[in-house]
Amino acid sequence: MTVPRRRPAPDQPTIADVARHAGVAVSTVSYVLSGKRAISEVTRNRVLASIRLLGYHPNAGARALASRRANVIALVLPLRAGMQVPVVMQFAMAVVTTARRFDHDVLLVTSDEGPAGLRRVAASALVDGVLVMDVELDDPRVPLLRELTRPSVLIGLPADATGLTCVDLDFHRAGRACVEHLAELGHRRIALLGAPAAVYDRGTGFAHRTRAGVVEAATWHNVEPVTLPCEEGAAAVRRTLADLLDRHPDLSGLVVQNEAAVDPVLATLPALGRRVPQDVSVVAVCPDQFAEQASPMLTSVPVPAEEIGTQAVSLLMRKLRDESVPEVTLLEPRLTVRDSTAAPTRAAGSRR
Amino acid sequence: MTVPRRRPAPDQPTIADVARHAGVAVSTVSYVLSGKRAISEVTRNRVLASIRLLGYHPNAGARALASRRANVIALVLPLRAGMQVPVVMQFAMAVVTTARRFDHDVLLVTSDEGPAGLRRVAASALVDGVLVMDVELDDPRVPLLRELTRPSVLIGLPADATGLTCVDLDFHRAGRACVEHLAELGHRRIALLGAPAAVYDRGTGFAHRTRAGVVEAATWHNVEPVTLPCEEGAAAVRRTLADLLDRHPDLSGLVVQNEAAVDPVLATLPALGRRVPQDVSVVAVCPDQFAEQASPMLTSVPVPAEEIGTQAVSLLMRKLRDESVPEVTLLEPRLTVRDSTAAPTRAAGSRR
DNA sequence: ACGGCGCGTCGAAGCGCTTCGACGACCGTC
DNA sequence: GACGGTCGTCGAAGCGCTTCGACGCGCCGT
């Protein structure tokens, strides 16, 4: 057992200690730190020297109290099933990193605390603003966000974005892009292997929007779209896929928007006698890293988690400065062609 | 464009408003909230009613300043390559949930801010304590943690744990358990397919400890252990595995401690002519969820991320209360037998 | 020579809360 | 019936910082 010997309180130096040591007023030290008033070069240097020498760090609580700014933002993360864990993680990291660049810290809030959690951190002035991930089309938190005294930015797109600020990948165009790529290669029977059913049921925006994009593009290109949800886990994928090919033997183009399903899909297709890309072309909506590790390397539309995170934080910072920002920011999807798509071969096309 | 109309400052009610409304002193309200002094039933109820009516939420900054407790802990998360993302996530969620039960919030700090980040949040009194994940055997943050004024708990086990508080799965015993299970089934040639080489190079504790446990148990059981790192990505796994089977055709037991490698391994083995479990038995160190989704379902030792997270927070809370805690808490591994292990068949055993 | 204007600095008033000592009221005790 | 103890409440003193108004000084224009 260790006795957690908190040392005998050497007690952090306060701004008063710094002021005394530098021979100036407390307010002068404060202004040196904030730059909100002009301070002569010589005084500034003296103060900075004292700060360094004493190892002074401003007390966050006191600062927050006096300035009414905590310099902390809340990040509300989902912890539900069917989430694309690595994307969420990547996203969270981008948020933290960007927030730090704006001299802010990030408080982690789980969505299972629900709206109450949001209200708590906002009302207690623990945070200056809120970033909400995994927004559903009809999200119960949205009304709350609208009436919150603190600014917020949503990742994802609720049904009604009025009065909000939202950032997301343009999944609709992403879905279209996938289908267009396949259609242009000459595929005529295309399927979307989507997110787990629960995700659609929950009304999660990105899943619905992708599907809509897929259907729309397919219709334009006079292609028959089949869309169906897909659970996680290799076994589930295999089942879904076998079933799909059974019902549509002429299927030659596959759009996969379920990160977890990508590897199983690539493993299962050959087992079902379909080579990629000779017999079936596969486009995935998944992180680049993933697409490049797969074999064959996947043609894909990456979810730019990092960019979304950075954008979201930047927008929030602007709102904190009382600047005006657009209600909806949709990031343009970029489709990267790799080795998993090709024109359909005669054989595949003519499969009964 | 939305003009982010911050409404005309309805200004949160303060404790003084509550006191006035309830007809008591400010301090009385405070005591009702903290329970640190006896308050009569009738007064308490009057105060609580006012609080609810006014929608009062104590100001976190003011509270932190006056009480010298922020009620926030820092969680330092890795964002490096080779990490087991879902485990980290699961862990983070457990930490947040548990912290909330202790009425604390969680500040997310990335390890790429390095020791400086730690020092910053600790010195500014932004947080009361620190949770550090992904601790390496010889971690540069360890000395800093030792001299920090605030308590900390490490997830993982550095080379020298003196004066620290550490929680982790007992990976050494986990490695042993895997090998013992295989050895007891009768396997005589066993391999560990480990983490990416970079993880070992970095001196990450769990990888080294698992390997040590595997080797130790193998020696005891008079089994020849082969251990080798394994990169992520299906292609890399296939290569490593093919190579392994080439060099040791008599291999019949496989321990996999690389979450990302599990699915590829299961996909590759049949392709190389080895059925699971008839020809090769596979034990994985991975989340249960993962093991159950695989096919065949995997015999596994789960990393109890949730339990570790909960433990870590509890320990930190005890340290915050100045209670004494053990330096090292190792959680006992539990091996769950599923469908991926079996006694070796004659054929497999006699393979050239 | 004088008023006016910046610039650099200071002092003091909070920010909203916790906590400590004080103080009546009321109880039981010898 | 005076005394010590609890119990419940109050008032005030901070916690460490930001910010506002004030002030002295040197410099400009006239």
Side-chain angles (χ1 to χ4, degrees):
Chain A
M1 295 291 217
T2 58
V3 184
R5 302 240 347 89
R6 206 75 54 67
R7 57 199 58 217
D11 255 6
Q12 305 282 357
T14 74
I15 198 174
D17 296 325
V18 174
R20 202 171 312 122
H21 184 271
V24 298
V26 162
S27 47
T28 302
V29 177
S30 178
Y31 287 125
V32 164
L33 253 19
S34 70
K36 292 194 177 172
R37 281 200 186 176
I39 297 288
S40 69
E41 190 65 17
V42 47
T43 307
R44 180 206 318 300
N45 287 336
R46 199 142 37 87
V47 169
L48 289 178
S50 300
I51 286 179
R52 226 158 302 148
L53 207 135
L54 299 181
Y56 167 71
H57 285 260
N59 178 296
R63 199 197 271 265
L65 178 55
S67 67
R68 311 168 138 286
R69 301 299 240 86
N71 272 34
V72 176
I73 61 177
L75 173 60
V76 186
L77 284 192
L79 88 170
R80 301 218 218 61
M83 279 314 305
Q84 318 199 23
V85 179
V87 174
V88 171
M89 200 73 186
Q90 210 182 329
F91 175 77
M93 287 307 171
V95 166
V96 174
T97 308
T98 311
R100 285 304 307 143
R101 279 217 298 280
F102 287 99
D103 197 33
H104 281 243
D105 275 283
V106 175
L107 198 80
L108 194 54
V109 179
T110 59
S111 19
D112 66 345
E113 256 200 276
L118 271 180
R119 178 163 265 135
R120 182 175 55 80
V121 294
S124 67
L126 234 188
V127 303
D128 303 322
V130 175
L131 238 49
V132 183
M133 269 204 81
D134 192 34
V135 174
E136 298 170 6
L137 281 179
D138 194 8
D139 202 293
R141 295 166 299 187
V142 164
L144 174 60
L145 290 175
R146 281 214 181 79
E147 69 185 31
L148 227 48
T149 1
R150 315 201 176 271
S152 56
V153 171
L154 317 200
I155 314 305
L157 204 50
D160 175 14
T162 318
L164 303 173
T165 306
C166 310
V167 193
D168 208 351
L169 173 64
D170 191 334
F171 280 99
H172 193 274
R173 287 175 60 187
R176 266 169 34 194
C178 292
V179 170
E180 269 159 14
H181 173 63
L182 291 172
E184 276 161 16
L185 285 172
H187 296 275
R188 285 289 158 263
R189 171 70 82 176
I190 293 175
L192 166 68
L193 209 64
V199 172
Y200 288 99
D201 292 347
R202 210 156 63 214
T204 302
F206 78 89
H208 286 276
R209 286 185 281 138
T210 308
R211 188 164 62 185
V214 164
V215 171
E216 180 181 306
T219 309
W220 284 352
H221 287 269
N222 212 13
V223 162
E224 299 230 27
V226 183
T227 72
L228 75 179
C230 177
E231 305 308 310
E232 294 186 341
V237 173
R238 206 166 310 142
R239 223 175 309 121
T240 310
L241 207 49
D243 190 50
L244 177 65
L245 284 170
D246 209 45
R247 286 211 313 266
H248 303 283
D250 58 337
L251 183 96
S252 70
L254 198 56
V255 180
V256 181
Q257 124 161 275
N258 185 330
E259 219 171 279
V262 167
D263 266 349
V265 162
L266 290 180
T268 303
L269 281 174
L272 296 173
R274 306 296 213 282
R275 291 160 303 160
V276 176
Q278 294 90 333
D279 302 321
V280 175
S281 285
V282 176
V283 188
V285 180
C286 74
D288 265 339
Q289 194 201 358
F290 228 77
E292 281 165 8
Q293 270 178 15
S295 100
M297 297 212 298
L298 287 168
T299 294
S300 72
V301 175
V303 177
E306 205 171 307
E307 194 183 343
I308 296 180
T310 305
Q311 274 278 348
V313 173
S314 305
L315 285 167
L316 187 53
M317 291 301 146
R318 287 175 53 191
K319 287 182 91 169
L320 286 176
R321 274 184 257 114
D322 258 336
E323 298 173 20
S324 79
V325 300
E327 284 190 341
V328 176
T329 306
L330 287 183
L331 272 44
E332 194 167 339
R334 298 174 303 96
L335 184 139
T336 306
V337 179
R338 297 201 183 81
D339 307 335
S340 66
T341 49
T345 59
R346 192 127 350 104
S350 65
R351 222 178 259 269
R352 197 201 49 74
Chain B
M1 293 291 219
T2 59
V3 183
R5 302 234 353 86
R6 206 76 55 65
R7 56 201 59 215
D11 254 5
Q12 306 282 357
T14 73
I15 197 174
D17 297 325
V18 174
R20 202 171 313 123
H21 184 272
V24 299
V26 161
S27 47
T28 302
V29 176
S30 177
Y31 287 125
V32 165
L33 253 20
S34 69
K36 294 195 177 171
R37 281 200 185 174
I39 297 287
S40 69
E41 191 65 16
V42 46
T43 307
R44 180 205 317 301
N45 287 336
R46 198 143 36 86
V47 169
L48 290 177
S50 301
I51 287 179
R52 227 160 301 148
L53 206 135
L54 300 182
Y56 167 72
H57 285 260
N59 178 295
R63 200 198 270 266
L65 178 56
S67 68
R68 312 169 136 284
R69 303 295 243 88
N71 272 31
V72 176
I73 62 176
L75 173 60
V76 187
L77 285 191
L79 90 168
R80 303 218 216 61
M83 280 313 305
Q84 319 200 21
V85 178
V87 175
V88 171
M89 200 72 185
Q90 210 182 330
F91 175 78
M93 287 307 173
V95 166
V96 174
T97 308
T98 310
R100 286 301 310 142
R101 279 217 297 280
F102 286 99
D103 196 34
H104 281 243
D105 276 283
V106 175
L107 197 80
L108 194 55
V109 179
T110 59
S111 21
D112 67 344
E113 255 201 275
L118 271 180
R119 177 163 267 134
R120 181 174 55 81
V121 293
S124 67
L126 234 187
V127 303
D128 304 322
V130 175
L131 238 49
V132 183
M133 269 204 82
D134 193 34
V135 174
E136 299 171 5
L137 281 179
D138 195 9
D139 201 295
R141 294 166 300 187
V142 165
L144 174 59
L145 289 175
R146 282 214 180 78
E147 69 185 33
L148 228 46
T149 358
R150 316 205 174 268
S152 55
V153 171
L154 317 200
I155 313 305
L157 205 50
D160 175 14
T162 319
L164 304 174
T165 305
C166 310
V167 193
D168 208 350
L169 173 65
D170 191 335
F171 279 99
H172 193 273
R173 287 173 61 187
R176 264 168 36 194
C178 292
V179 170
E180 270 160 12
H181 174 62
L182 292 173
E184 277 161 14
L185 286 172
H187 296 276
R188 285 289 156 266
R189 170 70 82 177
I190 293 173
L192 166 68
L193 209 64
V199 172
Y200 288 99
D201 292 347
R202 209 157 63 212
T204 302
F206 78 88
H208 285 276
R209 286 186 280 139
T210 309
R211 187 164 65 185
V214 165
V215 171
E216 181 180 305
T219 309
W220 284 352
H221 286 269
N222 213 12
V223 164
E224 300 230 26
V226 183
T227 72
L228 75 179
C230 178
E231 303 309 311
E232 294 185 341
V237 172
R238 207 166 309 144
R239 223 175 308 120
T240 309
L241 208 49
D243 190 50
L244 178 65
L245 285 170
D246 209 45
R247 286 212 312 267
H248 303 283
D250 58 338
L251 184 97
S252 70
L254 197 55
V255 180
V256 181
Q257 125 161 273
N258 185 330
E259 219 170 279
V262 168
D263 266 348
V265 162
L266 291 181
T268 304
L269 281 174
L272 294 173
R274 306 298 213 282
R275 291 160 305 162
V276 177
Q278 294 90 332
D279 301 321
V280 174
S281 285
V282 177
V283 188
V285 181
C286 74
D288 264 340
Q289 194 201 0
F290 227 79
E292 282 164 7
Q293 269 178 15
S295 97
M297 298 213 296
L298 285 169
T299 295
S300 73
V301 175
V303 177
E306 204 170 309
E307 193 183 345
I308 295 180
T310 306
Q311 274 279 347
V313 173
S314 305
L315 286 167
L316 187 53
M317 291 301 146
R318 288 174 53 191
K319 288 181 88 168
L320 285 176
R321 274 185 258 116
D322 258 337
E323 298 173 20
S324 79
V325 300
E327 284 190 341
V328 176
T329 306
L330 287 184
L331 273 44
E332 195 166 336
R334 297 174 303 97
L335 184 140
T336 305
V337 179
R338 296 202 184 79
D339 308 335
S340 67
T341 50
T345 59
R346 194 125 352 101
S350 68
R351 222 177 257 269
R352 197 199 50 73

